[in-house]
Every structure is written in structure tokens, then in C-alpha cells.
Amino acid sequence: MTLTISGFDGVLTAAQEGSEWAWHILVGDTAPALLGFFRSRGVSNPENLAGDVFIDLGRNLNAFRGDESGFRSWVFVIAHRHMSDELRKQKRITTNLATDSTENRTKPPARARARNIDAFHLLETLTPDQQDAISLRVVAELSLDETAEVMEKSVETVQGLQRRGLSSIQKQVEHKGVPR
């Protein structure tokens, strides 16, 4: 996140005091990584989910204490919780549709669009934790410490998930080629 007006602390303080310009900077600097993370994880409506995250941030912004790195971690902790709830909900809906009628077995629209992108295919073959680790590190550009905090796992566990996930992707590309 790169903030140019008064540095991060000044922007955060202004946002906590209700400044609209400061809130726009925080949202503008955070939203692209947040949307990329949600898209990489197959969330059906990443924009709506990001909106839910920003509502939570707005409600709790005055309680936040910390630096820029801590803020990014805090944002993605909230985002990860919302995403986990959303993916569980999507799974229930898909399961219910499948039991209602075999003709209704469809993937959410964002997931269907993501299937056209090779990288998303590769991510889909990984475990959910490996997907989170790689998406948070690569798409959201979080550090190992920030990713560990978001995932509520140790740095060593995140490193292992990332390493195994990338190794799996590398093997797929070497042996099968990139899925289409």
C-alpha cells in the first residue's frame, strides 16, 4: 500500500476522525489486492464481498492501532473470514442445487469465468490452505508474517503450504502442461 498524503499514520488518523478523502485513500489502496485475492479464490461476487469487508473496516476503524503492515494484515484477516463464510455458503448452495436436480449443477459465474484463466485452474487443484497461502502472498502481496496472521497459522506452516502448493503447480505444468 503506498500512501502519499501525510504518510500512512496521517491518513489513518484522518480516516478515524471521519475524513472522506482519507477513507477513499485507504479503500483505493486496499481494494485492488482485496479483489484480486477474492477472484483468485473463486468468490462468486468479489465486489460485493469487498464491500462487506469495507463496511466492517468502517465500523471498526477507530479500534485499529498499528502500522501500515498491521493494517494490511487486519484488512485481510477480515477478508479471509468473510471469504471463508462465502465459500461455505457457495458450497451449500451448490450442494443443494445438485440434490434438487442434476440439471442444476452449475458453478458460480465468477468461477466459470476464472476457468478460462490458466492460473486459476492451477490454483483450483491445490488444497484450500495452499490456495490461501499462494493467493495472499502473490495476489495480495502480503509478507509471510502478514499471511500467517491472516491464516492464523505459523510462518513455518505458511512457508510449507506455499512450497507444497508451488511444487504441485510446477509438477502439473511439467507433466501435463497448463490446463485449458
Side-chain angles (χ1 to χ4, degrees):
M1 182 183 314
T2 306
L3 302 174
T4 55
I5 302 175
S6 302
F8 176 78
D9 291 337
V11 172
L12 177 63
T13 300
Q16 288 172 327
E17 292 172 353
S19 172
E20 191 172 325
W21 66 264
W23 176 252
H24 284 287
I25 289 174
L26 291 177
V27 169
D29 283 352
T30 307
L34 192 60
L35 290 170
F37 173 64
F38 288 151
R39 287 183 182 117
S40 74
R41 291 295 281 117
V43 171
S44 65
N45 194 334
E47 290 80 8
N48 280 356
L49 198 56
D52 292 344
V53 170
F54 288 121
I55 288 170
D56 277 359
L57 290 176
R59 286 182 184 148
N60 298 302
L61 189 61
N62 287 330
F64 176 77
R65 299 290 178 264
D67 60 8
E68 187 173 354
S69 175
F71 181 77
R72 284 180 56 84
S73 294
W74 183 59
V75 168
F76 279 93
V77 165
I78 294 169
H80 191 263
R81 289 181 185 148
H82 277 278
M83 182 202 66
S84 295
D85 291 344
E86 179 66 20
L87 291 177
R88 277 192 295 276
K89 183 174 137 185
Q90 282 178 216
K91 187 174 182 178
R92 278 193 309 272
I93 290 170
T94 302
T95 302
N96 289 342
L97 287 174
T99 57
D100 288 346
S101 166
T102 57
E103 294 174 10
N104 288 330
R105 290 186 188 181
T106 58
K107 298 250 183 224
R111 179 72 87 176
R113 285 192 304 273
R115 289 201 172 278
N116 294 326
I117 301 172
D118 297 338
F120 289 112
H121 279 291
L122 294 170
L123 277 175
E124 288 175 342
T125 66
L126 305 177
T127 68
D129 280 345
Q130 289 171 341
Q131 290 177 26
D132 285 347
I134 292 171
S135 294
L136 288 166
R137 294 280 290 131
V138 175
V139 178
E141 299 179 348
L142 297 183
S143 70
L144 275 169
D145 290 336
E146 293 166 338
T147 301
E149 182 179 341
V150 169
M151 294 181 68
E152 297 178 335
K153 299 190 181 305
S154 70
V155 169
E156 294 77 18
T157 300
V158 170
Q159 285 175 318
L161 290 166
Q162 181 179 329
R163 185 178 57 254
R164 286 189 301 279
L166 292 174
S167 175
S168 176
I169 289 171
Q170 182 179 3
K171 286 176 187 172
Q172 289 179 64
V173 171
E174 288 173 357
H175 292 99
K176 301 175 190 173
V178 178
R180 298 211 183 266

